[in-house]
Amino acid sequence: MKKFLFVFLTVVLLISTLTVNVSFGSSLKDLLLIVDNTNNYDLSFIEKDYANLRVDVGTIDDLTIESINKYNEIAVPFNLIDERIKIMLRKAYEQNKKIYLYGELTLKDYSEVMGLWRFGKYVDIYSSGSKKIKNNKKVFVFFGTKFEQNEIQNVVALSKNEAMSGLIASIDKDKLGNYNKNLFLKAILDDVMPNSKVSVLSNTVRKSEFNFKTYNTYGGYVVMDYTLYQETNETDSTYDYFSIRTNLMLEGKGKGIAIDVEHNLPFSSDELLEYGPESTEDKSQIEVSVGYGDGGPSGSLSYIINMSSKPNINTTASLTDDRVSWRCKKTLFGGFIDGQRFSPASTWASTESYAAIDIKFRGLFTKPGGGSVYTSWKTVNVRFNY
């Protein structure tokens, strides 16, 4: 017999007998959320903000093989992991469940707990015509060594199920250097499949494979994902040609004021070619069309960004430094930009054995009582073999 805090329209304490159910489907509950001590959290927000989810909240003693089989997704504090927990989480992962670890950890820490050879995921890659290439062969997306081994994350998740995106999220500390622990739970609950922003951010050519988030201390956050493209209609013996479209949105607490995002090539032998959108003002439809530069292949990536708030876009680029940045900001009398997708893109030529680009982003929100607050910058080192 186990005690859980059950969240489904109402939050009540109950005692239930856990039974084995190894099927993956709608009959399972959404999430088993393990916390170190229920007294350390104000769990009332779950009933208010996540009534659409079927969630059980318990302690580490409630994590058993039998209990895991009742859920699609499992979340466990990283500092509570021991050999017994590792065995159960690895088994759950092999059953296509999504496993969240939260607290302070690196991607390497996650891989070691889950027994993965490296943190990453096989993803589709597309031609500039938005068609899968290489006979539907996937490429393995991973991350730079520094990002993987040294960068502290606060919530990390993966699943073998292709319908479930990976998550890498960071949360800002307050002025005293402390975390709001409820934001760890919020970052997980924001990502659980029925409530996930994947359906909002993903364009029509693929499932989102990773979501990256950075939260400020009040609960406002930026979510970013991306689509990778490779131009295959070329015969260049020196370069391979790639493009990336990043999708960013401001969500959570506070009104969205601005998004800052940067694309940077880390290898000096690679060349930034084109980027978009260019700087623009007061447009609800922003056209993007990026090709592969003079002398490059003829393909291009074209689409329209729809933003009803008509923000100002300020674009700054240096082809010498292989870097381009955008600032998407609400105008003085225009609407706030939260809930609207901003999608800049860039193309580059690569000579390396694997392709690489670094993406850096942050968001600016209103804060309670007036004024504004940024999230911290988050830099993601995207790497993929092709």
Side-chain angles (χ1 to χ4, degrees), residues 120-176:
K121 198 166 186 178
Y122 286 95
V123 306
D124 295 320
I125 188 168
Y126 296 85
S127 68
S128 55
S130 296
K131 294 181 179 180
K132 292 182 183 180
I133 65 173
K134 295 186 176 181
N135 298 317
N136 293 330
K137 180 181 178 181
K138 296 177 180 291
V139 298
F140 187 73
V141 170
F142 57 103
F143 304 96
T145 300
K146 179 180 178 182
F147 184 76
E148 183 178 34
Q149 298 184 5
N150 300 331
E151 294 290 329
I152 297 297
Q153 313 296 338
N154 297 118
V155 182
V156 181
L158 270 183
S159 173
K160 292 180 68 175
N161 186 339
E162 290 187 3
M164 290 182 164
S165 63
L167 173 66
I168 302 173
S170 55
I171 296 166
D172 291 345
K173 294 180 179 180
D174 63 22
K175 293 180 179 180
L176 299 177

Side-chain angles (χ1 to χ4, degrees), residues 65-80:
I65 293 296
E66 290 77 14
S67 66
I68 281 176
N69 287 329
K70 296 187 68 176
Y71 303 88
N72 286 328
E73 308 184 33
I74 314 294
V76 180
F78 174 66
N79 66 340
L80 298 185

Side-chain angles (χ1 to χ4, degrees), residues 55-206:
V55 180
D56 284 344
V57 180
T59 62
I60 199 67
D61 292 335
D62 298 311
L63 192 67
T64 65
I65 293 296
E66 290 77 14
S67 66
I68 281 176
N69 287 329
K70 296 187 68 176
Y71 303 88
N72 286 328
E73 308 184 33
I74 314 294
V76 180
F78 174 66
N79 66 340
L80 298 185
I81 301 294
D82 58 21
E83 291 304 314
R84 180 184 74 91
I85 303 301
K86 283 183 183 179
I87 292 171
M88 287 190 289
L89 293 181
R90 291 178 184 183
K91 182 174 182 179
Y93 183 81
E94 291 301 317
Q95 294 176 345
N96 284 342
K97 299 180 186 295
K98 187 170 181 176
I99 308 300
Y100 298 84
L101 301 184
Y102 68 97
E104 288 189 328
L105 69 154
T106 65
L107 301 186
K108 184 179 180 181
D109 290 331
Y110 186 98
S111 297
E112 290 176 348
V113 169
M114 300 306 301
L116 307 176
W117 71 277
R118 186 162 195 176
F119 187 92
K121 198 166 186 178
Y122 286 95
V123 306
D124 295 320
I125 188 168
Y126 296 85
S127 68
S128 55
S130 296
K131 294 181 179 180
K132 292 182 183 180
I133 65 173
K134 295 186 176 181
N135 298 317
N136 293 330
K137 180 181 178 181
K138 296 177 180 291
V139 298
F140 187 73
V141 170
F142 57 103
F143 304 96
T145 300
K146 179 180 178 182
F147 184 76
E148 183 178 34
Q149 298 184 5
N150 300 331
E151 294 290 329
I152 297 297
Q153 313 296 338
N154 297 118
V155 182
V156 181
L158 270 183
S159 173
K160 292 180 68 175
N161 186 339
E162 290 187 3
M164 290 182 164
S165 63
L167 173 66
I168 302 173
S170 55
I171 296 166
D172 291 345
K173 294 180 179 180
D174 63 22
K175 293 180 179 180
L176 299 177
N178 299 316
Y179 291 112
N180 177 347
K181 285 192 172 184
N182 273 16
L183 291 182
F184 293 165
L185 309 188
K186 176 176 171 55
I188 295 165
L189 292 161
D190 284 339
D191 192 67
V192 172
M193 281 296 283
N195 202 49
S196 176
K197 301 301 180 184
V198 171
S199 60
V200 177
L201 284 178
S202 300
N203 59 38
T204 58
V205 302
R206 64 148 177 90

Side-chain angles (χ1 to χ4, degrees), residues 226-293:
Y226 55 80
T227 309
L228 299 171
Y229 303 85
Q230 183 178 3
E231 181 53 54
T232 56
N233 187 24
E234 52 88 10
T235 57
D236 194 318
S237 60
T238 304
Y239 290 104
D240 292 307
Y241 293 86
F242 298 94
S243 57
I244 190 166
R245 171 178 171 172
T246 46
N247 306 298
L248 301 103
M249 190 179 291
L250 303 181
E251 291 285 348
K253 302 297 183 181
K255 294 295 186 179
I257 299 172
I259 296 171
D260 294 309
V261 56
E262 178 181 290
H263 294 181
N264 177 48
L265 299 182
F267 298 146
S268 60
S269 57
D270 291 354
E271 300 293 339
L272 180 67
L273 300 175
E274 295 188 11
Y275 51 87
E278 299 282 358
S279 296
T280 187
E281 295 181 357
D282 196 33
K283 289 185 178 180
S284 60
Q285 292 191 320
I286 304 162
E287 295 183 3
V288 178
S289 182
V290 290
Y292 294 97

